[in-house]
């Protein structure tokens, strides 16, 4: 079953090593909170700001999760050292959207998805269902931040060690006016491709309406 959705806003960011211009000081003025943000959280709050979204339901996806925190935990275990409480706190998959909610005082539902290469496809479907259920604008974000030491020894999936894509959806009874085509987005992790397909379909268009599978 498909339903139609207005894509109100879109944003993307990527870098071969580290996304440098994420405007953290403006977006996160409180220094203590800003210092706690993981790389994925920094990317997410940047993308949400670019979409002008501060309150509402959020669907977040990442195939690889919080890689630096995970690497820190595994390194501590291997070295027979105590695990950092901060690393432990930041190791869960909902770290980035949780910091977003702390930043804006957002009390709406967060759903987190990790489905390998199908992550953004499932984020789209879940976000569409969430938009229908709430009858409100929903933020969808997918991030990958895998710029950790020695990542080149195992990385075979992406040229961009940091990347993210975001869009907001609102259900509508109007007809779809663009078609979304599946593509290979070279340089990006496949976990972002389905949402990048939507961004490509809406690029340069106002009032973009897409049909999404529920």
């Amino acid at each position: 079953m498909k339903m139609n959705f207005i894509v109100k806003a879109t944003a993307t960011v990527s870098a071969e090593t580290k996304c440098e211009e994420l405007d953290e000081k403006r977006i996160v003025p409180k220094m203590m909170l800003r210092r706690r943000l993981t790389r994925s959280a920094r990317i997410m709050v940047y993308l949400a700001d670019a979409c002008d979204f501060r309150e509402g339901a959020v669907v977040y996806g990442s195939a690889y999760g919080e890689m630096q925190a995970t690497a820190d935990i595994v390194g501590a275990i291997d070295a027979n050292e105590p695990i950092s409480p901060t690393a432990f706190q930041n190791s869960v998959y909902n770290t980035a959207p949780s910091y977003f909610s702390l930043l804006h005082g957002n009390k709406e539902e967060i759903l987190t998805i990790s489905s390998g290469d199908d992550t953004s496809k499932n984020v789209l479907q879940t976000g569409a269902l969430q938009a229908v259920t709430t009858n409100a604008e929903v933020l969808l974000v997918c991030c990958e931040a895998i710029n950790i030491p020695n990542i080149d020894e195992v990385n075979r999936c992406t040229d961009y060690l940091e990347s993210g894509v975001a869009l907001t959806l609102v259900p509508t009874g109007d007809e779809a006016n663009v078609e979304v085509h599946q593509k290979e987005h070279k340089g990006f992790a496949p976990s972002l491709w389905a949402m990048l397909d939507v961004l490509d379909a809406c690029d340069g268009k106002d009032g973009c309406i897409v049909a999404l599978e529920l």
Side-chain angles (χ1 to χ4, degrees):
M1 176 184 176
K2 285 189 175 182
M3 291 190 66
N4 298 335
F5 299 86
I6 301 169
V7 180
K8 290 194 66 177
T10 63
T12 186
V13 67
S14 60
E16 290 187 358
T17 54
K18 181 179 180 181
C19 297
E20 297 287 355
E21 298 182 8
L22 297 177
D23 206 8
E24 294 108 317
K25 289 186 178 180
R26 178 186 64 82
I27 298 172
V28 191
K30 293 183 178 180
M31 184 181 67
M32 292 303 295
L33 178 59
R34 188 168 66 244
R35 290 178 62 184
R36 290 165 59 191
L37 298 180
T38 64
R39 291 304 303 170
S40 292
R42 292 171 191 273
I43 293 168
M44 173 165 181
V45 297
Y46 170 82
L47 292 172
D49 183 78
C51 289
D52 196 27
F53 189 95
R54 292 169 180 79
E55 185 176 5
V58 176
V59 181
Y60 175 82
S62 176
Y64 306 107
E66 297 291 343
M67 289 283 282
Q68 186 61 65
T70 303
D72 290 344
I73 291 170
V74 173
I77 293 171
D78 182 61
N80 198 28
E81 296 175 351
I83 295 172
S84 162
T86 300
F88 185 78
Q89 171 187 308
N90 286 339
S91 66
V92 295
Y93 273 79
N94 66 341
T95 294
S98 295
Y99 278 126
F100 163 82
S101 290
L102 284 171
L103 171 64
H104 295 295
N106 181 40
K107 298 180 180 179
E108 300 300 323
E109 185 174 14
I110 294 172
L111 295 173
T112 307
I113 292 171
S114 183
S115 307
D117 290 352
D118 290 331
T119 294
S120 63
K121 175 184 175 182
N122 291 338
V123 166
L124 278 171
Q125 186 176 40
T126 304
L129 285 166
Q130 193 73 326
V132 170
T133 301
T134 61
N135 195 32
E137 185 177 10
V138 176
L139 174 67
L140 284 61
V141 181
C142 281
C143 290
E144 303 298 353
I146 63 171
N147 185 19
I148 63 174
N150 303 316
I151 191 64
D152 290 341
E153 296 179 12
V154 294
N155 175 34
R156 300 292 184 272
C157 69
T158 178
D159 295 334
Y160 300 125
L161 297 184
E162 292 192 350
S163 58
V165 56
L167 55 88
T168 66
L169 296 177
V170 178
T172 181
D174 295 338
E175 293 296 318
N177 55 22
V178 296
E179 291 188 16
V180 179
H181 299 286
Q182 293 183 359
K183 300 178 183 178
E184 180 179 337
H185 298 271
K186 292 184 177 179
F188 289 91
S191 56
L192 274 59
W193 286 5
M195 284 181 56
L196 289 169
D197 289 340
V198 176
L199 264 65
D200 278 3
C202 295
D203 186 36
K205 300 181 178 70
D206 293 325
C208 180
I209 301 175
V210 300
L212 297 176
E213 194 74 40
L214 298 183

